[in-house]
């Protein structure tokens, strides 16, 4: 049945406007006979037109930039032609369809794809019979804790998979529902959180007697450690742009509620305060790494997401009323943030040598060692780890403290948002190739590197038994990161790196029951407390496959370099800015 976008949108807007919601302090209830069906598979909607790739002379860059610059109606017929890069990209082993499996294929899809789609559909969560998200994990063998909730960050790969498969409805519903949750008053004890904070997760409760569905959100007040998720709001804006880009439907982002939601999120970050840096000051555990892991301060993951959210908002916020002034503030921050991160977070062989020779206690504007980093604090491992060719953004930079650890999400999101210059993106790819065993290992890929152990682990994690060395957030391996790796590799023009990682994943991930994470130096062991059927491991694989098959999907999640943001200052002259 052909998919009619217009009637679909009409239907959705009617649904939304007729919804009557009764708000309570931390939940809202629908007064209708809706049902919550965690296990109900959504009807498989066949894709409208089969995407088929043939080879001609269009380059990879053309394909990516066509995706980057134009809205992409779901599943349009597209002809992609050959180049050396594409030849490698579309070699027969991966030229199968990664979308919802259909009956006739020119190339047989990997058997994991069908399993993955089935598992992803099983994870869908419904509110008043409408799909609104995916549950974090559907593992029947483990205590669910909060894994039976829809996490905002976890839903991102699910959303991308649905968008790439021409199924935007669940994404739109999710964006609207979380927007409603944002407007709830959020309290921890006697303290009220900022208006713009988005939840880490939400749960749909079904009352079979009253026949009502209730949504309960967690803004950090129930989370272990009681930390608010700084990343949720950024992912929300990034997803709103992905939805808009993928469907070409601007009506959602243009809605006054969505415009307000974006502004509230960014107002939290753009407010004037005591900051001397444009980076965002954060508490430990405020993002994907949601437990104490020594990432407090200015973690690269948040800075990259902040940058990407600002750039996404810039393309969505309307320049009306005070919107114009808001856009100016965004521009200023983007400029300062890109300079700061590119300059002070970047580490390559040359820069490490500079830091190694830093003088300390320099006072005044002429200081080279601006943050007074003491060379003795450089850890030994980094000298062996850093290859002559290659570089990366380090984990954190603050006064007298450089956290030299590698954090995958921060680096890949920096590439996708073009926070990394094209030279820096290539250098990150060089590092991945040179340090494959350490960063990718047997089961892609490490969330951070290296692991903390012994005394350092005791002090930094507070003796966290879940974050022991080479496990979980402490240098554990997370299959979900595969989608970000793939997108970053395509953007950096190195898709073969992603292909290698995907082939590794295909040897085990489904057989192991789609675990949340792997343990060990090489990521060889299913994680100690890893959930099975972890939705973002499943969706991450599907997104990686679909992107490699059709690189123009990158336009949803990748941003072209903004030439105006090239650093115009040199290290020694920056104080004159
Ligand atoms: C773990 C992860 C977190 C994720 C959650 C649900 O707590 O650290 O990032 O959102 O599980 O999967």
């Amino acid at each position: 049945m052909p998919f009619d976008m217009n009637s679909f949108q009409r239907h959705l807007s009617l649904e939304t406007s007729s919804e009557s919601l009764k708000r309570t302090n931390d939940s809202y209830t629908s007064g209708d006979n809706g049902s919550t069906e965690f296990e109900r598979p959504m009807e498989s909607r066949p894709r409208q037109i089969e995407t088929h790739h043939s080879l001609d002379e269009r380059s990879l860059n053309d394909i990516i930039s066509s995706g980057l610059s134009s809205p992409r109606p779901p599943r349009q017929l597209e002809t992609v032609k050959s180049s050396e890069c594409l030849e490698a990209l579309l070699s027969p082993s991966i030229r199968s369809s990664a979308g919802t499996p259909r009956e006739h294929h020119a190339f047989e899809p990997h058997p994991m794809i069908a399993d993955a789609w089935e598992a992803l559909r099983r994870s869908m969560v419904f509110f008043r019979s409408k799909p609104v998200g995916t549950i974090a994990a559907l593992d029947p063998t483990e205590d669910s804790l909060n894994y039976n909730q829809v996490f905002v960050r976890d839903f991102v790969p699910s959303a991308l998979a649905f968008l790439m498969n021409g199924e935007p409805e669940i994404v739109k519903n999710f964006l609207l529902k979380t927007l409603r949750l944002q407007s709830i008053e959020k309290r921890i004890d006697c303290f009220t959180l900022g208006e713009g904070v988005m939840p880490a997760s939400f749960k749909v409760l079904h009352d079979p007697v009253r026949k009502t569905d209730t949504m309960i959100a967690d803004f950090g007040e129930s989370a272990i450690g009681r930390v608010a998720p700084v990343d949720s709001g950024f992912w929300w804006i990034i997803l709103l742009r992905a939805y808009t880009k993928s469907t070409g439907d601007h009506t959602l982002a243009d809605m006054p509620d969505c415009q307000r939601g974006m502004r509230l999120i960014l107002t939290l970050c753009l407010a004037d305060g005591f900051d001397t840096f444009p980076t965002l000051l954060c508490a430990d555990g405020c993002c994907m790494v949601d437990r104490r892991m020594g990432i407090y301060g200015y973690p690269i993951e948040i800075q990259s997401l902040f940058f990407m959210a600002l750039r996404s908002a810039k393309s969505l916020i309307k320049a009306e009323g005070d919107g114009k002034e808001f856009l100016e503030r965004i521009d200023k921050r983007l400029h300062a943030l890109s300079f700061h991160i590119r300059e002070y977070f970047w580490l390559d062989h040359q820069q490490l040598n500079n830091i190694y020779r830093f003088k300390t206690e320099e006072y005044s504007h002429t200081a080279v060692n601006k943050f007074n980093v003491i060379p003795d604090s450089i850890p030994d491992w980094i000298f062996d780890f850093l290859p002559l060719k290659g570089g990366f953004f380090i984990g954190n930079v603050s006064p007298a403290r450089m956290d030299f650890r590698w954090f995958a999400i921060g680096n890949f999101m920096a590439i996708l948002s073009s926070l990394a210059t094209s030279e820096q993106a290539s250098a990150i790819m060089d590092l991945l190739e040179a340090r494959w065993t350490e960063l990718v290992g047997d089961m892609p890929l490490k969330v951070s590197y290296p692991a903390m152990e012994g005394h350092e682990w005791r002090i930094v994690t507070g003796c966290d038994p879940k974050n022991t060395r080479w496990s979980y957030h402490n240098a554990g391996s997370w299959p979900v990161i595969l989608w970000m790796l793939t997108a970053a590799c395509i953007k950096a023009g190195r898709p073969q790196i992603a292909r290698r990682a995907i082939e590794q994943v295909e040897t085990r991930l489904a057989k192991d029951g789609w675990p949340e994470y792997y343990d060990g130096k090489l990521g060889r062991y299913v994680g100690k407390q890893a959930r099975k059927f972890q939705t973002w491991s499943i969706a991450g694989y599907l997104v990686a496959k679909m992107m490699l098959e059709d690189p123009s999907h990158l336009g949803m999640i990748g941003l072209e370099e903004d030439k105006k943001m090239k650093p115009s200052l040199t290290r020694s002259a920056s104080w004159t800015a």
Side-chain angles (χ1 to χ4, degrees):
M1 191 181 66
F3 178 65
D4 179 351
M5 194 64 196
N6 289 335
S7 70
F8 172 61
Q9 278 162 7
R10 268 197 310 276
H11 166 75
L12 265 182
S13 55
L14 278 175
E15 284 283 307
T16 319
S17 57
S18 68
E19 202 172 56
S20 67
L21 294 169
K22 218 172 49 192
R23 279 185 220 169
T24 60
N25 189 23
D26 59 354
S27 67
Y28 64 85
T29 312
S30 72
D32 152 316
N33 296 351
S35 65
T36 317
E37 297 161 73
F38 286 125
E39 309 247 330
R40 195 184 83 167
M42 193 177 126
E43 190 194 334
S44 267
R45 184 185 294 121
R47 297 186 298 180
Q48 186 180 14
I49 305 168
E50 190 157 329
T51 308
H52 181 77
H53 301 284
S54 68
L55 303 174
D56 74 7
E57 60 288 334
R58 264 180 79 185
S59 74
L60 180 64
N61 278 339
D62 290 344
I63 293 158
I64 295 168
S65 51
S66 73
L68 283 167
S69 53
S70 57
R72 191 175 181 288
R75 296 287 136 202
Q76 276 193 325
L77 183 67
E78 220 172 305
T79 309
V80 174
K81 300 179 176 181
S82 83
S83 70
E84 254 180 30
C85 263
L86 261 189
E87 200 81 68
L89 194 63
L90 300 177
S91 79
S93 67
I94 58 151
R95 222 185 300 165
S96 57
S97 167
T100 300
R102 284 151 290 146
E103 276 167 30
H104 303 292
H105 292 289
F107 301 94
E108 271 311 302
H110 195 285
M112 268 170 74
I113 291 170
D115 284 0
W117 273 110
E118 219 183 293
L120 182 61
R121 293 196 190 287
R122 267 202 310 271
S123 74
M124 288 166 81
V125 171
F126 293 81
F127 183 81
R128 296 180 62 202
S129 309
K130 287 202 288 182
V132 290
T134 50
I135 198 170
L138 255 181
D139 187 344
T141 64
E142 293 277 342
D143 176 8
S144 65
L145 294 173
N146 54 354
Y147 283 85
N148 59 9
Q149 307 204 4
V150 179
F151 278 75
V152 171
R153 71 176 73 88
D154 291 43
F155 181 65
V156 173
S158 299
L160 295 176
F162 287 120
L163 288 175
M164 287 175 190
N165 203 42
E167 298 176 55
E169 183 194 0
I170 185 171
V171 183
K172 183 169 183 169
N173 294 343
F174 169 88
L175 288 165
L176 289 169
K177 286 286 172 257
T178 41
L179 189 64
R180 298 251 177 174
L181 294 172
Q182 184 197 38
S183 60
I184 289 168
E185 195 195 8
K186 309 162 252 279
R187 274 209 195 158
I188 297 189
D189 299 331
C190 321
F191 186 69
T192 307
L193 271 70
E195 237 191 311
V197 177
M198 277 282 182
S201 59
F202 65 84
K203 190 177 180 157
V204 179
L205 299 169
H206 175 57
D207 182 336
V209 180
R210 285 167 55 220
K211 295 205 166 45
T212 52
D213 282 354
T214 311
M215 240 182 213
I216 301 176
D218 179 8
F219 295 88
E221 75 273 30
S222 312
I224 298 167
R226 302 287 185 268
V227 181
V230 178
D231 63 338
S232 286
F234 297 153
W235 281 122
W236 188 89
I237 296 175
I238 293 165
L239 203 54
L240 181 61
R241 179 189 166 273
Y243 170 88
T244 309
K245 201 82 186 167
S246 153
T247 58
D249 167 21
H250 288 261
T251 57
L252 180 66
D254 286 352
M255 273 169 54
D257 282 356
C258 281
Q259 293 282 319
R260 182 169 179 272
M262 275 188 280
R263 282 194 211 184
L264 284 176
I265 295 167
L266 294 179
T267 302
L268 289 173
C269 321
L270 296 174
D272 292 333
F274 289 97
D275 306 290
T276 42
F277 313 132
T279 34
L280 206 61
L281 184 60
C282 300
D284 220 338
C286 64
C287 51
M288 183 273 183
V289 176
D290 58 359
R291 299 163 80 93
R292 187 171 149 192
M293 267 299 293
I295 62 155
Y296 64 90
Y298 304 91
I300 186 67
E301 172 171 345
I302 289 296
Q303 312 314 322
S304 294
L305 288 175
F306 179 30
F307 185 84
M308 183 133 188
L310 283 173
R311 288 205 63 198
S312 303
K314 196 178 150 178
S315 69
L316 299 173
I317 288 179
K318 293 200 274 183
E320 294 167 356
D322 58 354
K324 213 164 157 246
E325 194 204 314
F326 208 79
L327 287 167
E328 276 164 21
R329 282 167 73 197
I330 290 180
D331 258 338
K332 271 195 189 153
R333 192 61 170 257
L334 279 169
H335 184 75
L337 190 59
S338 62
F339 172 78
H340 186 92
I341 302 278
R342 288 171 183 176
E343 194 73 4
Y344 303 123
F345 279 63
W346 184 251
L347 191 77
D348 55 15
H349 177 259
Q350 181 58 51
Q351 182 59 8
L352 181 59
N353 209 157
N354 295 344
I355 299 168
Y356 176 66
R357 288 169 52 79
F358 265 172
K359 289 184 183 53
T360 57
E361 315 297 329
E362 293 172 296
Y363 182 77
S364 106
H365 292 305
T366 52
V368 175
N369 180 6
K370 292 186 177 140
F371 307 112
N372 200 33
V373 174
I374 320 287
D376 272 356
S377 69
I378 306 174
D380 289 343
W381 66 267
I382 192 72
F383 292 103
D384 299 328
F385 175 76
L386 206 60
L388 286 175
K389 190 167 169 237
F392 68 107
F393 293 110
I394 62 171
N396 219 310
V397 177
S398 60
R401 176 174 174 250
M402 288 180 109
D403 180 347
F404 288 91
R405 280 177 295 170
W406 152 269
F407 285 89
I409 299 176
N411 276 276
F412 296 145
M413 292 315 289
I415 294 178
L416 289 177
S417 60
S418 287
L419 171 58
T421 61
S422 52
E423 294 79 19
Q424 286 172 330
S426 297
I428 294 171
M429 292 293 138
D430 291 337
L431 178 83
L432 275 176
E433 284 189 321
R435 293 290 173 256
W436 189 263
T437 315
E438 291 86 346
L439 300 180
V440 184
D442 279 13
M443 202 36 123
L445 46 125
K446 293 263 167 43
V447 64
S448 61
Y449 179 89
M452 284 182 302
E453 12 192 338
H455 183 64
E456 194 187 12
W457 165 78
R458 274 192 288 277
I459 299 295
V460 175
T461 72
C463 301
D464 188 345
K466 205 165 172 185
N467 272 332
T468 49
R469 61 184 180 163
W470 310 110
S471 182
Y472 203 44
H473 302 134
N474 191 3
S477 298
W478 293 69
V480 60
I481 306 173
L482 191 67
W483 80 260
M484 290 183 224
L485 168 82
T486 305
C489 289
I490 296 172
K491 181 144 189 294
R494 309 271 279 270
Q496 64 282 6
I497 295 181
R499 210 174 130 206
R500 188 176 161 196
I502 291 175
E503 277 166 10
Q504 282 178 219
V505 160
E506 286 177 337
T507 60
R508 286 189 54 186
L509 193 61
K511 275 190 230 143
D512 290 340
W514 308 95
E516 181 186 12
Y517 63 95
Y518 286 81
D519 285 358
K521 259 191 178 173
L522 291 169
R524 242 177 224 175
Y525 301 92
V526 173
K528 249 191 309 210
Q529 292 184 41
R531 293 293 181 290
K532 296 280 183 81
F533 293 94
Q534 180 81 20
T535 304
W536 67 1
S537 300
I538 296 162
Y541 167 71
L542 285 173
V543 171
K545 287 292 272 190
M546 283 192 275
M547 262 194 299
L548 212 45
E549 181 191 301
D550 180 355
S552 70
H553 284 312
L554 181 62
M556 278 184 218
I557 200 73
L559 293 159
E560 273 172 304
E561 192 164 0
D562 183 343
K563 299 280 182 276
K564 281 190 295 197
M565 264 184 284
K566 281 250 181 245
S568 52
L569 307 169
T570 62
R571 181 170 287 272
S572 53
S574 63
W575 66 275
T576 54

